[in-house]
Amino acid sequence: MATGSVAGEAARGCAHPRGCHTGDLPVLASATVGARFWLLIEHSGPWASHLEDCRLPEDVHTLIKRATHLGIRPQLIRRPGRRNPHGTGIHVMVADSTAAQPWLAEGVIAGPDDLDMDALVAGVVPESCILVSEPVFLVCTHAKRNACCARIGLPLARALAEMLPDRVWETSHVGGDRYAANLVCLPHGLYYGSMSQAAAIAAADAYRSGEVILDRFRGRAGIPEPLQAAEHFVRSHTGELSVGGVAVESSRSDGDTTEAFVRGSDARFRVVVEPMTLTTPCGTACADTITTYRLVTLDRLAPVRYATSALT
């Protein structure tokens, strides 16, 4: 298919036949692997298909370029239903999702030189930002990237914002248009996909209580997809839902097969997973197929004899 045709499909999205974007297809182990550190920049839009093509102030483009160079994931954000700017300066939030204790901080900066992104990748809160204790919820509404994200994401973002004023933001592409509507919970970088409004509210409530909901849970950003799958299968097997109650300790791969040793709340597990491909009902740019994982083996090993935190 020609590039122009692909771009046109992405703008239109899909026809939403039965099973598409409804949660009927598996979404597990699909969180964005490269998103370990985050830079959120408030900008009301409009947003082009890709951030580098957006009509943004030069200072914002500079922030995006510096973040990308350092391996920080940049996101444009805006308030649901509102397009008024934050005020003078550039409103930013930064997060470290894979720290032992993930954190989120925010600030208003005059320009790019006021934000120490080297500190961020070192796991240190930049001096221009202040730690915040409340989580942030991002809903992808990036219409120019894929129309489905806006069609489903916009009403979801507005409904969630009514429940959690000032904690919910529309955001640019987070990865995985085929899983629209996408919800990201920061600072831990938890991804949910194919979300309904009711499912999003339930997931947000669970996260504020330090837990995940496995239904429509894509995984935790910054972790390789096979290891996201291993954690998912241990949670499903044990019923452990605390955010920090399950974590991969070590792993190795042999071809497509991955063996992982996973810590649960009261035991360790040996988990073997393999990828599998499913054909979707959409047949358009949203997704012709999706890659997911199947469980090969799950063995319970020795009990865990040390305490774990439900919040990390």
Side-chain angles (χ1 to χ4, degrees):
M1 183 181 290
T3 301
S5 299
V6 172
E9 282 294 327
R12 288 193 297 273
C14 69
H16 313 290
R18 180 177 174 83
C20 188
H21 302 304
T22 63
D24 292 340
L25 293 171
V27 303
L28 67 95
S30 63
T32 301
V33 173
R36 296 172 55 87
F37 305 100
W38 299 76
L39 170 62
L40 314 181
I41 307 168
E42 184 174 359
H43 187 271
S44 61
W47 301 336
S49 175
H50 294 78
L51 297 191
E52 60 268 25
D53 298 325
C54 291
R55 298 180 64 181
L56 303 169
E58 189 57 36
D59 281 352
V60 175
H61 272 302
T62 299
L63 282 169
I64 291 171
K65 290 176 184 177
R66 289 183 183 176
T68 302
H69 176 73
L70 290 170
I72 299 167
R73 185 174 183 90
Q75 298 285 146
L76 296 177
I77 59 172
R78 60 193 177 202
R79 292 291 187 188
R82 304 207 309 263
R83 295 294 179 265
N84 54 304
H86 182 270
T88 58
I90 306 170
H91 178 216
V92 299
M93 285 183 273
V94 293
D96 182 348
S97 286
T98 53
Q101 295 184 337
W103 52 264
L104 177 72
E106 70 176 326
V108 177
I109 59 175
D113 291 340
D114 291 336
L115 182 63
D116 187 351
M117 284 188 265
D118 289 321
L120 172 58
V121 296
V124 178
V125 178
E127 289 186 359
S128 55
C129 297
I130 299 173
L131 281 172
V132 295
S133 58
E134 289 293 318
V136 160
F137 300 94
L138 307 179
V139 179
C140 181
T141 60
H142 200 159
K144 290 293 180 65
R145 188 65 177 247
N146 190 292
C148 294
C149 294
R151 187 190 77 87
I152 312 170
L154 279 168
L156 188 152
R158 290 168 182 168
L160 197 58
E162 289 180 3
M163 185 187 81
L164 296 169
D166 301 325
R167 308 315 304 166
V168 179
W169 298 83
E170 296 179 25
T171 193
S172 53
H173 178 65
V174 296
D177 297 330
R178 63 196 62 186
Y179 304 112
N182 284 298
L183 172 70
V184 181
C185 309
L186 291 176
H188 285 81
L190 306 185
Y191 270 58
Y192 288 88
S194 300
M195 297 298 273
S196 65
Q197 293 181 28
I201 290 171
D205 275 342
Y207 184 55
R208 295 171 71 210
S209 299
E211 294 187 341
V212 302
I213 290 178
L214 289 186
D215 180 39
R216 312 189 192 203
F217 181 49
R218 291 180 57 188
R220 184 167 172 175
I223 300 173
E225 290 167 349
L227 306 190
Q228 295 179 37
E231 290 188 2
H232 183 97
F233 289 126
V234 169
R235 288 187 183 278
S236 181
H237 177 74
T238 63
E240 176 57 66
L241 297 179
S242 63
V243 171
V246 173
V248 172
E249 294 182 333
S250 63
S251 66
R252 68 180 184 88
S253 295
D254 182 6
D256 286 340
T257 302
T258 298
E259 177 188 48
F261 291 90
V262 183
R263 167 185 56 78
S265 58
D266 62 355
R268 296 175 67 246
F269 299 86
R270 174 182 173 270
V271 186
V272 179
V273 299
E274 290 179 345
M276 59 184 292
T277 300
L278 299 176
T279 300
T280 74
C282 295
T284 69
C286 279
D288 293 317
T289 62
I290 61 170
T291 298
T292 186
Y293 287 83
R294 73 178 188 92
L295 176 64
V296 178
T297 304
L298 191 155
D299 299 317
R300 184 184 179 96
L301 303 176
V304 172
R305 300 190 181 281
Y306 50 87
T308 61
S309 170
L311 299 178
T312 59

